[in-house]
Amino acid sequence: MALLYQAYQNHMDLTEPWRQGAAAALRYLNLIPSGLSSRAMRRLSAALELISRSALTYARPAYGIDSVMVGNRELGVTEEVTFKTPFGSLLHFKKDGAPDQPKVLLVAPMSGHFATLLRGTVKTLLQDHDVYITDWHNPRDIPRDHGRFGLEDYTDHLITFLGQLGPRPHMVAICQPSVSALAATAVMCEGNHPSRPATLTLMAGPIDTRLQPTKVNEFAKSKPIDWFENNLIHYVPFQCTGAFRKVYPGFVQLTAFVSMNLERHVKQHMDLANHLAKGEVEKAETIKTFYDEYFAVMDLPAEFYIETVRDVFQEHLLPQGKLMHRGRPVDPKAVRRIGLMTVEGERDDICSIGQTLAAQDICTNVRAYRRVHHMQAGVGHYGVFSGKKWNNEIYPLLRDFVHVNS
């Protein structure tokens, strides 16, 4: 199993000339005016398109947020790296001529895709907030001499990033990092850190996965931790900057995701070929845009993945008061003098109802009038932080919560 990632990379390298050749031929065919192209040529173009796209990318896609409406003004947006470590950047979406707005750290999951999956969340937040995001780096591009990156290192990064934002910023954690976000908040509150968050919002996060466990939770508990180490952890190929670093490879994660809905993904690619053959450009672009993001994968550091499975999903350390950080217990009772908001989706099959709400139960010293819980009807996991109901129903509640507690 240790050589699987290397074999995969060798295969990708060997077949790269075919993809490049298909892309070159496609560029040539695209020079022919649409009125002169025959049905056979369009079918050939569709086939070449699928061949040229038959590989994953390990490069982070662009956020593509150039402007945003603030009130009745459209302001330009530029990306600025405020602070950087080998494992992640604190990325600021700086708005030209923006008024003073609450600073928000958006904590992205480290779960096989890049933080760009949250570009819609970012764009919505930018209307009323000064937004920063945890822009995690791909471990396959990080040399081994930079050391390990585990669950405690993730929490340390949040503490450091919040410290860069100045006094009393706000923190919004999406899904998996809710545990580290709550841990970082507890550590900072206990130490009376000047940059401890003014509000903490946890969205669809696995605070206590003992409650109404999903299939994801059940799988995590169905195997001993040694099984995950022996079957899912591999070495980064020698061709990469991070050669021989241990990771949970992005292509293995994506394979698991795709296998859960294999028929749907096959149909989508068949539809893509048909749209291209028929000259239905807009429909084809919609599918291509989705898969450009979906097939941009990121490896996970082995330490972070194994510790998350063990501490969060198998042993449930945080809700039991047993989670440790740098040799000291993480005490949720230390969380005080902040606002705490939890958000869940009615149809969430990854993080079910009650698992995020558990944060309200263990943070016993947050005042009642500074607590908010919202269960959004009719949405699954991704609907909690993207889509129409996020924009129209969840976001207004979060915005008002942040501004009231600023």
Side-chain angles (χ1 to χ4, degrees), residues 75-88:
L75 303 182
V77 177
T78 55
E79 297 174 18
E80 179 180 87
V81 176
T82 303
F83 186 81
K84 185 177 182 181
T85 77
F87 293 94

Side-chain angles (χ1 to χ4, degrees), residues 247-259:
V247 296
Y248 177 27
F251 82 92
V252 175
Q253 299 170 70
L254 186 66
T255 299
F257 292 146
V258 170
S259 65

Side-chain angles (χ1 to χ4, degrees), residues 261-271 291:
N261 293 285
L262 182 59
E263 291 183 5
R264 175 179 177 272
H265 292 294
V266 171
K267 183 179 182 302
Q268 284 282 80
H269 282 82
M270 292 177 65
D271 289 345
Y291 282 101

Side-chain angles (χ1 to χ4, degrees), residues 57-335:
T57 175
Y58 285 89
R60 194 207 75 182
Y63 283 93
I65 303 174
D66 299 319
S67 63
V68 66
M69 292 299 296
V70 177
N72 58 359
R73 293 192 298 157
E74 184 176 9
L75 303 182
V77 177
T78 55
E79 297 174 18
E80 179 180 87
V81 176
T82 303
F83 186 81
K84 185 177 182 181
T85 77
F87 293 94
S89 298
L90 176 61
L91 186 64
H92 182 206
F93 295 91
K94 188 176 180 180
K95 291 176 290 192
D96 302 330
D100 288 338
Q101 294 176 318
K103 291 183 177 181
V104 171
L105 174 62
L106 181 61
V107 185
M110 188 179 277
S111 58
H113 285 93
F114 292 90
T116 50
L117 273 183
L118 301 182
R119 66 166 58 81
T121 315
V122 171
K123 192 158 189 177
T124 301
L125 285 168
L126 276 170
Q127 299 170 83
D128 307 287
H129 308 88
D130 189 9
V131 181
Y132 297 73
I133 195 170
T134 57
D135 197 39
W136 302 114
H137 302 164
N138 198 333
R140 83 186 230 134
D141 300 326
I142 305 171
R144 280 182 65 200
D145 57 14
H146 286 300
R148 73 193 304 278
F149 187 91
L151 195 57
E152 290 182 316
D153 299 291
Y154 192 110
T155 302
D156 283 337
H157 272 65
L158 298 189
I159 295 171
T160 301
F161 287 169
L162 286 167
Q164 297 295 315
L165 269 61
R168 306 312 301 274
H170 304 263
M171 182 156 57
V172 177
I174 306 292
C175 188
Q176 169 220 72
S178 293
V179 171
S180 284
L182 182 51
T185 302
V187 170
M188 296 176 82
C189 285
E190 189 169 28
N192 202 29
H193 195 295
S195 294
R196 64 192 185 278
T199 67
L200 173 63
T201 301
L202 307 176
M203 306 185 71
I207 299 299
D208 191 348
T209 59
R210 295 173 298 178
L211 304 172
Q212 302 192 63
T214 63
K215 290 182 179 179
V216 174
N217 307 148
E218 290 171 351
F219 174 72
K221 297 200 73 172
S222 66
K223 313 283 186 184
I225 197 66
D226 289 349
W227 183 91
F228 291 92
E229 292 187 71
N230 295 331
N231 290 277
L232 299 181
I233 302 304
H234 306 276
Y235 291 103
V236 172
F238 71 84
Q239 297 100 315
C240 305
T241 307
F244 308 116
R245 177 181 289 279
K246 282 188 173 184
V247 296
Y248 177 27
F251 82 92
V252 175
Q253 299 170 70
L254 186 66
T255 299
F257 292 146
V258 170
S259 65
M260 293 171 66
N261 293 285
L262 182 59
E263 291 183 5
R264 175 179 177 272
H265 292 294
V266 171
K267 183 179 182 302
Q268 284 282 80
H269 282 82
M270 292 177 65
D271 289 345
L272 172 60
N274 288 330
H275 293 322
L276 290 169
K278 294 176 182 178
E280 297 171 342
V281 178
E282 290 186 8
K283 292 180 179 179
E285 283 300 320
T286 299
I287 296 176
K288 287 198 288 185
T289 300
F290 172 80
Y291 282 101
D292 284 344
E293 189 75 47
Y294 196 67
F295 287 164
V297 295
M298 173 178 159
D299 299 338
L300 266 66
E303 307 87 4
F304 175 78
Y305 176 71
I306 293 299
E307 290 168 14
T308 298
V309 171
R310 183 192 64 206
D311 297 352
V312 177
F313 293 99
Q314 291 189 347
E315 299 183 5
H316 318 288
L317 297 185
L318 179 62
Q320 296 185 80
K322 298 178 181 179
L323 185 66
M324 303 294 289
H325 180 74
R326 303 304 176 195
R328 300 183 61 183
V330 174
D331 183 10
K333 296 183 179 65
V335 178

